[in-house]
Amino acid sequence: MPAEPPDPRSSPPGVLTGPHAGPRRIVAVARYAAELDEAASRLRSLTDHGHRVVLVWAEGEPGPSLRSFRGRVRVGAADAGGARQALRRVLRPAPAAWWRDRGVLARRLRGDLRARRTLHDADLLLPVGAEALRLFGRPGAAPVTLLTHAELEATKRQDEVWVGLRRRVRAGAHRLDPELATELLDHVGRTGGRVPARHQPLLVPLVEALHATGEYALAHRVVGFLPEAAPGGDPSEESVRRGLRQLVEISRSGRDQPGTADAVRSLLAAADEELSTASPDVETVARLAGLALQLLFHRELHADGVSSALVTEPDAYLADWRASRVGRLLAAPVPRAPVLHRAAGRTAATRDSFRVGPRVVVVPGSYPQFAVPVRRALEDRAQVHLTELRTRDQLRGLGTRRELVRARLGQALGEEWVPDYELLEELEAAHALFVDWADRGSMAAVMSAPAGVRVTLRIHSMDAFSPWIHLLDWSRVDVLVLVSDHLRRMVQTLLGERLRDTQVRVLPNLLDPARIPTEKVEGHRRRLLMVGWAQRVKDPLWALEVLARLREDDPAWTLTLVGTDFPDGTIASQQEYARAFRDRITHEDVRGAVRFVGSHPGSGAAPGGVGCRAVDEPA
């Protein structure tokens, strides 16, 4: 479009992009409809930012590029005839500047009261084309503020920010970092505090990436720009947005939020709807089911508190998941065992053919120190091969991982899936597999175990609260070992008939008495000890209260806390608890009686440690 002449009524800076800018009614006026066609992309950028654009022109017809613009006024002589119209024109005369302009546009506007009212009712006027620019460049010709091309360019620059975000989204989650989120939030704040509807889908992967890296406060700010519903929106996308809002708020606050159950039901309904189609999109189903699992098995709801619905009311809590089509599919046995297509003569079996005894693959899990006694005991009677799956990021930890949900879903639908060819090659040559912890790695290990390999899985504590025990194919697990009887009862309640072909045994963790020093130091009879103390689930505040009560009778009592301090996290409830603990420790009744000792290097404490209160039996 040609450059516009200067005009005192031109829009001030920020009329569209400033912090207080909001939706405007903008009238784009031109002599020729073709001139509006040429400006179509810029006009669409205005509507993308929430403005309503009305087209006013004198000659021709708008083309297909302007089909989405419903507000249209063609300037003409339709209402020029009749005494009444003549009287109205006299009573409402056109601006003097329009009479001085002899162009077709000015002449037709003078006689068209409807077009004139359209211009007067606008918030901003955008002249398009040489004749409109000349007319409205005259002093007094524009009945409302003119929208300058500089403002349009600023709007275009806003779109460039979103183009950059789209590029980063395509590059992968590793490119979606807190710095990008902060820059984007600053940009949105400077440009009116809203996100155009067409750019909102880009925020979803950004929120997911921020949440995955623990940036809960930032994720909370970004997700606030995602409305739960939009007219004509995709129901599955609306379910994802709703679920993300719940997920971020639970992670940020550390507490359950109203509406979580409804969000889970919505996600599962959308997943089931997709599964019912002739050619379901497995990626979409995995995305919906994965988010539902993140909500159902969120750590803050089960692992880091003093109670859990998985213990107190498991049947009611899991009712929607168990009833859903996707939940039943992910609980069903896998149709066929994995197969390795390996090169002849290159198997682990041929390499180890000179050795004797059964070959056992040990997968120590995300917290490998617990498997050390098992491995040592096996080495006396078998060939033990250690496979550290925790070195693969996607196979380490207890949290939900969409890639694994997708893999398990695909395998349930008959797809052949190999999590790790190195693991599969080890298993092809093995007689037995021992998997410690029901974590992400356990899912990969059980999915990879070929037919004929005996599988033993051990559950410790917090892994009983993870989603993976509900996704494992228990028909492939020969023996389930649990470290306590109350944990056995909990897991059997959660899994029910799925364990009918699996031997269930209780074997407490081994304790090596040689590791416990027998020499005592002064004051040991009046000393309390808490290991791995800086967790809400351990409740060190309670330990301080016990210490205070004991010191009422005997001030010689002390408390030793072993382990690292509270993490510098972004979970509000953890921060509140840490502040409460630090305040309590300054009170006179315990001041000076608490000693802090760092963890032994490499101890690798497991989440929640032993004796997790969430699964303790009532006293």
Side-chain angles (χ1 to χ4, degrees), residues 193-331:
R194 63 182 304 277
V195 175
R198 73 166 177 158
H199 298 319
Q200 288 173 7
L202 295 173
L203 300 184
V204 172
L206 178 59
V207 171
E208 291 173 336
L210 291 171
H211 183 271
T213 55
E215 296 289 344
Y216 304 136
L218 268 177
H220 174 73
R221 293 177 62 194
V222 175
V223 83
F225 292 102
L226 275 175
E228 287 188 12
D234 182 349
S236 67
E237 288 300 323
E238 291 179 4
S239 297
V240 168
R241 292 184 180 195
R242 185 179 184 183
L244 273 179
R245 293 172 75 93
Q246 292 293 125
L247 180 68
V248 168
E249 188 57 29
I250 292 172
S251 298
R252 188 187 69 87
S253 67
R255 300 182 181 91
D256 195 8
Q257 300 296 312
T260 299
D262 291 338
V264 169
R265 277 191 290 271
S266 177
L267 288 162
L268 295 177
D272 287 355
E273 180 68 24
E274 182 63 32
L275 277 174
S276 67
T277 61
S279 300
D281 185 336
V282 181
E283 297 292 341
T284 297
V285 177
R287 181 188 188 196
L288 294 162
L291 184 50
L293 288 168
Q294 281 183 284
L295 289 170
L296 279 172
F297 296 95
H298 198 293
R299 177 184 174 90
E300 296 305 314
L301 305 184
H302 308 293
D304 206 14
V306 296
S307 66
S308 165
L310 290 171
V311 176
T312 58
E313 47 182 356
D315 292 335
Y317 187 74
L318 295 174
D320 292 323
W321 173 258
R322 291 169 174 173
S324 69
R325 182 173 180 175
V326 66
R328 296 195 305 272
L329 181 63
L330 289 171

Side-chain angles (χ1 to χ4, degrees), residues 55-56 65-66 84 132 142 169 177 207 242 277 285 306 316 318 336 345 385 391 400 475 486 522 526 618:
L55 308 180
V56 174
S65 61
L66 297 172
R84 180 177 296 179
V169 166
D177 52 31
V207 171
R242 185 179 184 183
T277 61
V285 177
V306 296
L318 295 174
R336 57 186 178 186
H385 291 255
T391 58
T400 305
S475 70
H486 66 269
E522 186 66 27
R526 294 292 184 271

Side-chain angles (χ1 to χ4, degrees), residues 7 22 43 61 86 103 195 199 228 272 450 564 585:
D7 181 66
L43 296 177
E61 289 296 331
V195 175
H199 298 319
E228 287 188 12
D272 287 355
T564 56
I585 207 171

